[in-house]
Amino acid sequence: MMDVSYWLPVIWAVILVAAISIYVILDGFDLGIGMLFALERDRGCRDVMINTIAPVWDGNETWMVLGGAVLYGVFPGAYATLLPAFYMPIVVMLLALIFRGVAFEFRILTRDTPRERLWEGGFMAGSALAAFCQGVIVGGVVQGVRVVDGAFAGNALDWLTPFSILCGVAVMCGYALLGATWLVWRTTGGLEAACRRWAGWLAIGLFVGIVAVSAWTPLLHAPYLRRWTDWPNIALVAPVPVLVVVLGIVLARALRRGRTRAPFACALGWFGLCLSGLGITLWPYAVPPGLTVWDVSSPPSSQFFQLVGTAIMLPIILAYTIHSYRVFRGKVTETDGYH
């Protein structure tokens, strides 16, 4: 029978993946809305776009903090290896998120002044840059990190490759799709119709990105290829690409038939399948292609201590997140306001 030193890192890996997945879903659509500002010039429509996320956007960052805390406290070996490997994109992402948050508020405070356009541009640029950096980091992790004796042995720009750039662009497209389908659900009239059109084109772009990344990933390392092609693995993982195609068809039909909630649900489903595929590819590596979750984990006593605190706090975080979204549910119009 396997002991606690085996199962605790597995439990924590599930918690970490859950935190990252919730962050991607929740912060993804509001970063996407920031990028969609570039397509919508009308001030009233921009106000509506902002008002759909204004009550909840800052709470979404909680899940990023939780993911970082888990990485630092439970997988210190991964934290110490990955952080120097991705210093540049991580710092740029954090600065973009900070500047985006400032622009979010100052856009209102500088209303009807020349600086309003500056802050709107900052909101767009911060959203796009943060999304791109997140995709680049994911791509950099997937392609692997050079490690010698458990420590990062590469250089500051190892993460910058055609594959990581492709991942960055795909994440930007995916977040923009989440934002567009969110607005289809939460807005009305001309803005909803425009978002429906944008979602159609963004869905095509994301599908192409998924296909390109999925075809490239197994060629990066032999274990990745075996995970997807060896028998009986192939029988277990085959539903993932099939479901991607099925959800794409459902999404296209939902957009054409005027559905409001279904497009957002399909976009979430695509992200869920992509994250599932990523998990299938990487497991059990915490730092591909050499360090597993057991290699980089903290002592079992430390993991158990943190698990007790997480068991208390996680339901509280989930409860207030669900409550906030429930309170501010429904369609938003130009007569509604948050500030």
Side-chain angles (χ1 to χ4, degrees):
M1 185 175 181
M2 296 178 183
D3 60 17
V4 69
S5 63
Y6 176 89
W7 285 107
L8 277 174
V10 174
I11 294 170
W12 275 111
V14 172
I15 294 172
L16 178 60
V17 170
I20 293 172
S21 299
I22 295 173
Y23 170 77
V24 166
I25 290 170
L26 297 184
D27 211 36
F29 67 76
D30 67 52
L31 288 172
I33 288 173
M35 288 185 279
L36 292 175
F37 255 46
L39 301 178
E40 179 55 67
R41 300 291 183 177
D42 182 76
R43 177 193 279 183
C45 290
R46 284 185 170 184
D47 287 342
V48 172
M49 293 165 71
I50 286 288
N51 287 336
T52 65
I53 60 171
V56 296
W57 74 274
D58 46 356
N60 298 337
E61 312 292 342
T62 304
W63 299 100
M64 176 186 286
V65 174
L66 176 61
V70 170
L71 193 64
Y72 177 79
V74 180
F75 302 113
Y79 184 90
T81 304
L82 294 175
L83 204 65
F86 298 102
Y87 268 138
M88 190 177 297
I90 289 173
V91 169
V92 172
M93 177 193 72
L94 293 176
L95 290 175
L97 289 172
I98 292 169
F99 189 72
R100 173 181 175 272
V102 173
F104 190 99
E105 301 296 339
F106 272 68
R107 173 182 174 269
I108 299 299
L109 296 177
T110 57
R111 174 75 78 178
D112 297 321
T113 71
R115 287 177 294 172
E116 180 183 0
R117 297 182 68 84
L118 171 66
W119 291 116
E120 287 191 338
F123 182 61
M124 288 183 277
S127 299
L129 192 56
F132 178 74
C133 287
Q134 289 176 16
V136 164
I137 293 168
V138 171
V141 171
V142 172
Q143 71 190 8
V145 176
R146 282 193 285 173
V147 176
V148 175
D149 297 329
F152 175 59
N155 62 61
L157 293 177
D158 278 357
W159 55 271
L160 188 59
T161 65
F163 178 77
S164 67
I165 292 172
L166 172 63
C167 291
V169 173
V171 168
M172 288 177 68
C173 190
Y175 282 180
L177 176 62
L178 282 176
T181 53
W182 169 264
L183 292 173
V184 167
W185 178 18
R186 298 297 307 278
T187 63
T188 60
L191 180 57
E192 179 188 341
C195 292
R196 199 176 291 277
R197 292 193 302 272
W198 301 339
W201 288 107
L202 289 166
I204 294 172
L206 180 57
F207 183 78
V208 171
I210 291 172
V211 171
V213 172
S214 300
W216 198 334
T217 299
L219 305 179
L220 295 173
H221 300 288
Y224 294 173
L225 182 62
R226 290 195 295 270
R227 190 65 56 85
W228 287 93
T229 59
D230 284 1
W231 183 264
N233 291 349
I234 190 171
L236 300 175
V237 301
V240 174
V242 172
L243 288 173
V244 168
V245 175
V246 171
L247 273 180
I249 295 171
V250 174
L251 173 58
R253 289 182 175 177
L255 290 171
R256 286 199 305 267
R257 295 178 180 179
R259 302 285 192 268
T260 55
R261 296 187 181 185
F264 185 63
C266 290
L268 291 180
W270 260 358
F271 268 85
L273 290 170
C274 290
L275 291 167
S276 299
L278 186 63
I280 291 168
T281 300
L282 295 183
W283 179 258
Y285 298 108
V287 184
L291 298 178
T292 67
V293 293
W294 299 282
D295 296 327
V296 300
S297 60
S298 57
S301 57
S302 178
Q303 294 182 58
F304 185 78
F305 176 77
Q306 294 172 81
L307 190 61
V308 173
T310 303
I312 296 171
M313 292 305 301
L314 195 57
I316 296 174
I317 298 172
L318 282 170
Y320 76 65
T321 299
I322 293 170
H323 177 69
S324 63
Y325 277 89
R326 184 177 182 277
V327 168
F328 295 102
R329 67 189 184 276
K331 293 281 188 178
V332 178
T333 66
E334 292 191 29
T335 60
D336 300 311
Y338 174 71
H339 289 87

